[in-house]
């Protein structure tokens, strides 16, 4: 979207007409260009009323994650200060890794054609219903371990879900669930230049394909009403930034208790696929490196990295990103 288009959105109002003269003067464009921009906005699902003498006004606007809207009223120092917005993209993580922009830059999109989850699983979402975003962080964080960033992000998003009124929980290592159904997935990756923390939050989906209804949910399904993705994204960025600065200053151990308080996995029986073996046991704890502490059946303790696949036993919840056509 061009600065001219943003300029036009800012000029248009719901409660009054903006004259063509005002638009042309303020944006320094002619009538024809104004018409072209208005057509472009219509294509973006803006409903616009044009009156030959009074001018133009907005009837309704889509809940698009346009940078101008996300930035306006965003109370952060770093996160989201620069936003790369795409109407459609392969994967926000892929773009963020290539951009390797400055710390805090955000890549967001309305639709991903190649959204990815852990273990190469697909992450699919209908257009303009979810928050699909990747935050670029300092490459030095790799030393800390990506698992901590994933859990910090999960904790932050979980705190926002709680503010919305949901009884959400963190499912180690990278999901947020409500009533056992996944509402958010996080994928943290890195290259030599940056760490990228990507998150997908199901906000306004009213339903999921039948094969996913037991596994996926959205804020809208849980609260029975639509939500502004802009406001939820702003809250996530603010909460995550607060936690992030505290993490840089005081370390990760500081967040462990909160993560445990909101844990879906703690105390559950799990199977851990380590590559060669399948270990069974109970989730006893999480450690200061973000690892899962497993009490193995038959005795002994094992610390599990997030690179292992962990499934909770006697529970149908799967990482629903592994199914075609679902998150
Ligand atoms: C998982 O469930 O394994 C993690 C899913 C992460 C999905 C998000 S959506 C935004 C970002 N871009 C991607 O391709 N993946 C993450």
């Amino acid at each position: 979207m061009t600065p001219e288009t943003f300029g036009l959105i800012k000029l248009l109002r719901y409660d009054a007409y903006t004259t063509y003269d005002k638009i042309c003067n303020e944006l320094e464009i002619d009538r024809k260009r104004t018409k072209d921009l208005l057509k472009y906005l219509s294509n973006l699902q803006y409903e616009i009323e044009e009156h030959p003498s009074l001018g133009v006004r907005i009837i309704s606007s889509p809940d698009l994650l346009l940078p101008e809207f996300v930035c306006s009223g965003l109370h952060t120092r770093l996160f989201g200060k620069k936003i790369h917005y795409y109407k459609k993209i392969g994967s926000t993580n892929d773009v963020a890794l290539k951009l390797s922009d400055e710390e805090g830059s955000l890549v967001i999109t309305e639709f991903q054609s190649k959204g990815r989850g852990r273990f190469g699983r697909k992450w699919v979402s209908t257009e303009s219903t979810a928050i699909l975003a990747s935050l670029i962080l300092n490459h030095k964080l790799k030393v800390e371990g990506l698992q901590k960033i994933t859990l910090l992000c999960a904790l932050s998003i979980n705190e926002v879900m709680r503010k919305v009124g949901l009884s959400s929980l963190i499912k180690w290592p990278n999901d947020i669930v409500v009533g056992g159904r996944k509402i958010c997935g996080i994928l943290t990756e890195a290259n030599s230049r940056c760490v990228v923390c990507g998150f997908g939050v199901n906000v306004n989906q009213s339903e999921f394909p039948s094969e996913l209804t037991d596994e996926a949910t959205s804020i809208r399904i849980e609260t029975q009403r639509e939500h502004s993705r802009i406001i939820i994204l702003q809250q996530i960025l603010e909460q995550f930034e607060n936690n992030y600065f505290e993490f840089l200053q005081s370390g990760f151990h500081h967040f462990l208790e909160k993560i445990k308080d909101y844990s879906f996995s703690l105390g559950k029986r799990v199977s851990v696929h380590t590559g060669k073996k399948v270990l069974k046991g109970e989730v006893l704890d999480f450690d200061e490196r973000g690892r899962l502490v497993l009490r193995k059946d038959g005795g002994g303790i094992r610390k599990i990295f997030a690179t292992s696949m962990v499934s909770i036993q006697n529970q149908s919840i799967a990482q629903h990103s592994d199914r075609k056509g679902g998150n």
Side-chain angles (χ1 to χ4, degrees), residues 90-94 112 114-119 121 123 131-134 174-175 182 184-187 198-201 319 321 327:
S91 150
T92 53
N93 267 31
D94 287 346
Q112 290 186 133
K114 288 189 183 138
R116 294 185 287 109
R118 292 198 320 142
F119 307 114
R121 290 161 169 160
W123 179 276
I131 293 170
L132 308 166
S134 297
N174 67 320
D175 290 338
K182 184 157 162 171
C184 165
I186 299 160
L187 181 66
F199 46 91
V201 185
Q319 302 275 351
S321 49
N327 269 37

Side-chain angles (χ1 to χ4, degrees), residues 67-264:
E68 290 269 309
F69 298 157
V70 175
C71 289
S72 134
L74 175 67
H75 302 292
T76 56
R77 275 188 280 154
L78 187 67
F79 286 8
K81 283 290 149 191
K82 186 166 172 192
I83 294 182
H84 301 267
Y85 172 82
Y86 300 85
K87 191 85 178 43
K88 182 181 170 182
I89 209 177
S91 150
T92 53
N93 267 31
D94 287 346
V95 172
L97 284 164
K98 274 200 200 112
L99 278 174
S100 299
D101 208 344
E102 66 251 42
E103 187 176 31
S105 293
L106 188 75
V107 177
I108 40 178
T109 190
E110 302 294 335
F111 181 76
Q112 290 186 133
S113 56
K114 288 189 183 138
R116 294 185 287 109
R118 292 198 320 142
F119 307 114
R121 290 161 169 160
K122 288 188 173 197
W123 179 276
V124 182
S125 187
T126 44
E127 189 171 340
S128 299
T129 55
I131 293 170
L132 308 166
S134 297
L135 195 60
I136 298 175
L137 301 172
N138 195 308
H139 70 97
K140 288 184 192 142
L141 286 169
K142 265 187 292 181
V143 185
E144 286 282 346
L146 302 186
Q147 183 53 52
K148 293 180 192 171
I149 302 299
T150 302
L151 284 172
L152 206 63
C153 178
L155 179 67
S156 312
I157 296 179
N158 192 60
E159 282 168 340
V160 174
M161 297 296 108
R162 294 251 155 188
K163 277 187 203 147
V164 171
L166 303 182
S167 307
S168 55
L169 293 169
I170 301 166
K171 181 168 173 261
W172 190 93
N174 67 320
D175 290 338
I176 296 174
V177 294
V178 177
R181 293 184 171 89
K182 184 157 162 171
I183 205 159
C184 165
I186 299 160
L187 181 66
T188 309
E189 299 177 297
N191 59 24
S192 54
R193 293 170 315 225
C194 66
V195 165
V196 164
C197 182
F199 46 91
V201 185
N202 297 334
V203 181
N204 281 328
Q205 291 95 331
S206 52
E207 56 182 11
F208 287 92
S210 55
E211 69 272 22
L212 293 178
T213 44
D214 287 344
E215 300 175 10
T217 192
S218 70
I219 302 178
R220 178 174 172 175
I221 291 171
E222 295 301 322
T223 60
Q224 307 284 310
R225 66 180 177 90
E226 276 195 56
H227 290 259
S228 158
R229 291 182 304 149
I230 297 165
I231 292 175
I232 292 185
L233 177 58
Q234 288 176 332
Q235 289 176 340
I236 290 173
L237 293 174
E238 287 164 9
Q239 190 69 52
F240 194 8
E241 182 178 276
N242 281 343
N243 287 341
Y244 181 72
F245 285 145
E246 208 171 318
F247 161 72
L248 294 182
Q249 213 171 9
S250 319
F252 180 74
H253 63 277
H254 180 71
F255 294 96
L256 261 179
E257 282 314 309
K258 273 193 201 165
I259 290 169
K260 285 188 222 170
D261 283 348
Y262 289 124
S263 174
F264 176 77

